[in-house]
Amino acid sequence: MNAPMAANDLNLMKFGIGQPVPRQEDPTLLRGEGRYTDDMNLPNQAYCVMVRSQMAHGVIKGIDTAEAKAMPGVLGVWTGADLADYGPLKTLIPVPNRDGTPMKTPTRPSLATDKVRFVGDPVAFVVAETLAQAKDAAEAVIVDIGQLPAVTDAREATRPGAPVVFDDAPGNICVDYLYGDSAKVADAFAQAAHVTRLRLVSNRIVVCAMEPRSAVADYDAKTDRYTLRAGNQGAFGLKHQMAALLKIKPEQMRILTGNVGGSFGMKGSPYPEYAGLFHASKILGRPVKWTDERSGAFLSDQHGRDHDFDAELALDKDGRFLAVRLVGFANVGAYLANVGPLMGSMGVTRNLAAIYRTPLIEVATKVAFTNTSPVGAYRGAGRPEANYFMERLIDTAAREMGIDRIEMRKRNHIKPEEMPFKTASGTTYDSGEFTTLLDKALTFADISGFDARKAESKARGKLRGLGIGDYLEVTAPPMKEMGGIRFEPNGDVSIITGTLDYGQGHWSAFAQVLTEKLGVPFHRIKLIQGDSDLLIAGGGTGGSKSIMASGAAIVEASDKVIDKGKQIASVALEASAADIEFTLGRFTIVGTDRGIGIMELAERLRSGMKLPEGVPETLDVSHVHEAAPSAFPNGAHVAEVEIDPDTGWVEVVKYTMVNDFGTVINPLLVEGQSHGGVVQGIGQALFEHVVYSEDGQILTGSFTDYALPRASDTPSFQLDYHSVPAKTNVLGAKGCGEAGCAGSLPSVMNAISDALGGKHINMPATPERVWAALNS
């Protein structure tokens, strides 16, 4: 009777929580067998091409579609007037003005009807038998636009006399946000022994997901149901948003999602193309497919970041923080995207305190409309920005006051014995050992050897700098999440979840939780996601909350499986259910060696096991995890850069990170997520920057002009953990998906400033900017 126990024990050791298990998804993807949205083709489908504005701002005088409609293969051409009966695209998170009044939420139809407000604004679409025919016809649509002056910068948009994007948003203000007690903060600054001031800009980013946006819309007249196949971050949420957009009942809408090639926040909500696809499908009685091209993605995808703050830190004579204040501007673009003005307002506020005992915080943001692509969530959504602002202030203050930058951080660290700690931004930290973690990171980074490395760089004519990014981020609070467990006819066990993998590797991590909890063989576990018809809840994937939400849902669902199993096993073992215990995948009678494995029990049920009335007939469970509070991943990143003084070229030559992600479910996946986040942070710090001309034309509209980091731009990363389990969720996990950005932005930019002798430059630290700083 001991052999099954040993096998289960081995299974848990190899594939349970904490093991570096490879991603289950990878073999299929590496063989080129993944099915992304553009790989999906339905019988008799037609093809759609969008017609977009080539002006950033102007009045639509007329749209001539006659020539396009007469071209070969064209099935229809539609404009905004044709979509008047559909709902508007909505933002999900309202942010109140400082006086408590609601923010401005101008209506955005799927196609512009009165004015165009950015280059790329969709004004019409063509559907034809073939993609080539649709492209030809789209070029034949003539859009007559009376050009108006444009504004692309948030700070400039709020100045008197700036072009007005929406008549009902005076001064282009979406929301005038304020957090904090301005009088108390002003008094703290007045009493301060030292005040550090910096203008800090978080540059605008193009998301550049591997897979451009794509969708296939199919309306079934017989059932009056709508099916959308599209990449997204959560099928359940998108189902309800699409139902509102089309003004139908949620049960009429089905979302199907296959593989998703990246999103980083950008694919988290409906886009203007979707309503038009269904409109055409309904009229034509056939599926309609649309796939964007990279040039269209640069123009019409939601962009990220774009904040401009005057930042101040007040300190006493010993370098202890008294208050931090941000006054500035956030750009939301021409329309409100999925989370609208969240990032530059509440997102920054909640994360600004970071790991420091900061008594007072004030954030005052004018969130402004401009004639640019809408700005939405992008990996971190306000969290990396806040950490960047705080860490740059600290490094600068330490240099100005003559205090060691490491010592200043430690003096202001929140101590473990102060937990739970309520911050000035209203969050309450449950755990963390910030000074211990920083010491571990500095030792791991061999900071004692930096002077020798700096001297070696100098001998080669290079300037070397070291920077620290001592960060903490507040994850999104997990929403209701489904944890379905289904024992399949072929002997597999399926997890059904409302989160959605678009690169994270959920299958392995979720299977590890289930293996640990139920002892189900890892290789028999499958993951079902991306079909809204199978979901009863789903918060989607975003905000570094997936393992906290789905993990908790799986644990709770597993408990329900065990409860059912005890009742069923009592019949199989001819014992009372009260005498059945469950350990390592087996139900046994207490005090005996008589038992039955959970997989064997499932097989008996499939074979028609006779059960008395009142005993569950299946082990299957459909469960909803209600929610959990946010968690607080934190860490210390140490970057070293070399600068060529002749050219201004910056190279990241050494990078070390120690993170506290609480319970680490799968170190291999966490390492990959950390690497990816750091590389994206390096990209923003050194290369990436969306630039518009004065009349609103995007000057960085392709990879010819927009630089992404490559493997050759990054060093080998050194990674370690100092894990303090969270007390806010059953697994003790803290989330890791976006932390790499939060640590890399400040560490890289602090290293550059260090190499420049303390001079400050804003991101991106291009060779031109660095050379200018060296020679100013």
Side-chain angles (χ1 to χ4, degrees), residues 59 68 87 93 97-98 188 249 254 260 270 288 364 378 385 404 435-436 495 498 508 517 570 599 602 612 658 763:
V59 177
I93 301 179
N97 283 297
R98 62 174 65 208
K249 297 176 181 178
R254 184 184 190 187
V260 181
V288 179
Y378 174 75
E385 297 94 312
D404 179 78
T435 299
T436 300
I495 298 171
S508 291
K517 187 68 179 175
S570 71
M599 299 300 283
V658 176
M763 300 183 292

Side-chain angles (χ1 to χ4, degrees), residues 483-683:
I485 299 175
R486 193 169 71 197
F487 289 77
E488 305 289 4
N490 68 348
D492 290 341
V493 179
S494 294
I495 298 171
I496 306 170
T497 177
T499 54
L500 202 147
D501 163 46
Y502 47 92
Q504 289 85 353
H506 287 172
W507 186 356
S508 291
F510 293 174
Q512 286 174 259
V513 174
L514 190 65
T515 293
E516 180 101 3
K517 187 68 179 175
L518 291 183
V520 172
F522 182 85
H523 69 279
R524 300 309 301 265
I525 299 173
K526 302 295 182 283
L527 181 65
I528 296 175
Q529 55 181 349
D531 184 348
S532 63
D533 275 6
L534 300 178
L535 302 176
I536 56 175
T541 294
S544 297
K545 68 180 187 296
S546 291
I547 194 61
M548 295 181 288
S550 286
I554 292 166
V555 169
E556 292 168 357
S558 296
D559 287 336
K560 292 180 178 292
V561 171
I562 293 170
D563 288 342
K564 281 187 167 187
K566 286 181 178 180
Q567 298 177 61
I568 301 168
S570 71
V571 177
L573 299 174
E574 299 178 341
S576 168
D579 293 330
I580 303 297
E581 64 180 1
F582 181 80
T583 308
L584 294 174
R586 284 180 62 81
F587 296 95
T588 57
I589 301 173
V590 176
T592 75
D593 61 357
R594 290 182 60 212
I596 184 171
I598 191 169
M599 299 300 283
E600 183 184 349
L601 189 63
E603 177 58 32
R604 287 206 193 178
L605 287 171
R606 287 192 294 272
S607 301
M609 178 182 177
K610 301 290 186 182
L611 295 168
E613 186 176 349
V615 175
E617 297 179 353
T618 176
L619 291 169
D620 296 354
V621 165
S622 185
H623 172 70
V624 175
H625 168 66
E626 285 300 318
S630 297
F632 307 98
N634 61 89
H637 290 205
V638 183
E640 294 184 28
V641 302
E642 280 189 342
I643 297 175
D644 184 337
D646 295 328
T647 64
W649 181 258
V650 178
E651 183 179 0
V652 181
V653 293
K654 193 173 189 295
Y655 200 99
T656 305
M657 57 186 123
V658 176
N659 299 297
D660 173 11
F661 295 142
T663 301
V664 176
I665 306 299
N666 186 321
L668 188 64
L669 299 186
V670 169
E671 187 172 349
Q673 286 289 297
S674 299
H675 289 180
V678 169
V679 171
Q680 283 186 283
I682 290 173

Side-chain angles (χ1 to χ4, degrees), residues 154-155 158 306-310 327-331 364-368:
R155 191 182 285 258
T158 63
D306 207 343
H307 306 133
D308 181 354
F309 281 101
D310 295 309
V327 179
F329 305 85
N331 195 339
T365 314
K366 285 183 168 58
V367 183

Side-chain angles (χ1 to χ4, degrees), residues 107-315:
T107 299
R108 184 187 186 183
S110 291
L111 296 176
T113 55
D114 56 344
K115 290 172 65 176
V116 293
R117 292 179 169 87
F118 70 101
V119 174
D121 207 351
V123 295
F125 64 95
V126 175
V127 176
E129 294 285 358
T130 70
L131 179 59
Q133 289 170 334
K135 283 184 176 182
D136 288 342
E139 292 179 358
V141 175
I142 300 173
V143 185
D144 185 8
I145 299 174
Q147 188 169 4
L148 296 171
V151 62
T152 62
D153 178 84
R155 191 182 285 258
E156 294 299 321
T158 63
R159 298 190 192 281
V164 177
V165 181
F166 289 99
D167 293 338
D168 57 347
N172 293 318
I173 298 296
C174 168
V175 59
D176 185 5
Y177 172 83
L178 175 67
Y179 179 88
D181 188 322
S182 298
K184 287 184 178 179
V185 171
D187 185 61
F189 272 88
Q191 300 298 319
H194 181 82
V195 175
T196 288
R197 296 181 174 89
L198 287 174
R199 180 177 176 183
L200 295 166
V201 175
S202 180
N203 38 317
R204 179 182 280 244
I205 299 297
V206 173
V207 175
C208 298
M210 180 183 74
E211 174 202 16
R213 289 189 296 115
S214 180
V216 184
D218 186 15
Y219 173 73
D220 187 338
K222 292 180 180 178
T223 60
D224 196 23
R225 291 204 77 197
Y226 301 71
T227 300
L228 179 70
R229 292 166 171 84
N232 61 87
Q233 295 187 192
F236 190 80
L238 185 59
K239 163 186 169 176
H240 287 269
Q241 293 177 66
M242 283 300 304
L245 178 64
L246 298 179
K247 296 184 177 179
I248 59 175
K249 297 176 181 178
E251 55 266 28
Q252 291 177 266
M253 173 60 62
R254 184 184 190 187
I255 304 296
L256 290 173
T257 305
N259 295 116
V260 181
S263 173
F264 312 110
M266 182 266 291
K267 297 174 185 172
S269 61
Y271 272 85
E273 296 84 3
Y274 300 165
L277 293 175
F278 277 114
H279 183 78
S281 177
K282 207 169 184 180
I283 290 174
L284 300 174
R286 56 196 290 190
V288 179
K289 181 177 184 176
W290 166 79
T291 300
D292 208 352
E293 295 182 343
R294 187 62 64 180
S295 57
F298 268 87
L299 294 177
S300 64
D301 288 351
Q302 295 170 12
H303 291 172
R305 313 298 194 218
D306 207 343
H307 306 133
D308 181 354
F309 281 101
D310 295 309
E312 300 172 285
L313 180 64
L315 306 96

